[in-house]
Structure formats: structure tokens, C-alpha cells
Amino acid sequence: MLTVTLIILLLTCVISFTAFSNHQITNDLIFYPTAISNHHQWYRFITCGFIHADIMHLAFNMYTFYLFGNMVERALGEI
């Protein structure tokens, strides 16, 4: 069953792996304050969370996110 945590995890992995081989994607999504303030690219507040520096960074973050996300979903399910 696909949970919200797994959907976000898969989306992040797809975007990060795509950005590893295409630097234009990284440049379009990375948190860059000048682009936000000068060009009103507010989406960068969210999209910067979907890109990672390398495989180890992605792996550690996704493992941590998976554990944390499952705990949050279980806690919200009990409410």
C-alpha cells in the first residue's frame, strides 16, 4: 500500500536521480534567495527539499524520512 510517506520518498528519489545527471534541474529547483526575491520563484521553498547532493546524502535522508514519516502517519492515524 502506498502511504503518503512512500509517495514523497519515491518522488524525491526520482527527482534527485534525475538532477544528478541534469544540472539544469538542480539549478531550477535549488534554494536560491536571489531568484526567490528578484524573480518571485517561491516554489523553490518546496522544491529544494527534493534535490540532494549525492547518493549518500539522499540515502541517509530517505532512510530517516521513512522512519519519521511512518511514526507520524501512525500517530495521526490514532487521532
Side-chain angles (χ1 to χ4, degrees), residues 5-49:
T5 300
L6 284 177
I7 292 169
I8 294 171
L9 189 143
L10 291 171
L11 181 64
T12 303
C13 287
V14 167
I15 292 171
S16 286
F17 278 114
T18 305
F20 290 154
S21 61
N22 187 341
H23 293 291
Q24 184 60 42
I25 292 173
T26 302
N27 291 336
D28 289 344
L29 301 180
I30 201 162
F31 187 81
Y32 185 54
T34 304
I36 294 169
S37 60
N38 292 348
H39 303 290
H40 307 289
Q41 296 176 350
W42 304 106
Y43 64 87
R44 290 178 183 261
F45 279 107
I46 302 296
T47 60
C48 67

Side-chain angles (χ1 to χ4, degrees), residues 1 14 17 20 33-34 41 43 45 47-48 51-52 54 56-57 59 62 65-68 70 72 77:
M1 179 175 144
V14 167
F17 278 114
F20 290 154
T34 304
Q41 296 176 350
Y43 64 87
F45 279 107
T47 60
C48 67
I51 56 173
H52 293 79
D54 56 31
M56 288 306 295
H57 179 213
M62 292 304 96
F65 177 73
Y66 179 75
L67 295 177
F68 180 72
N70 280 338
V72 169

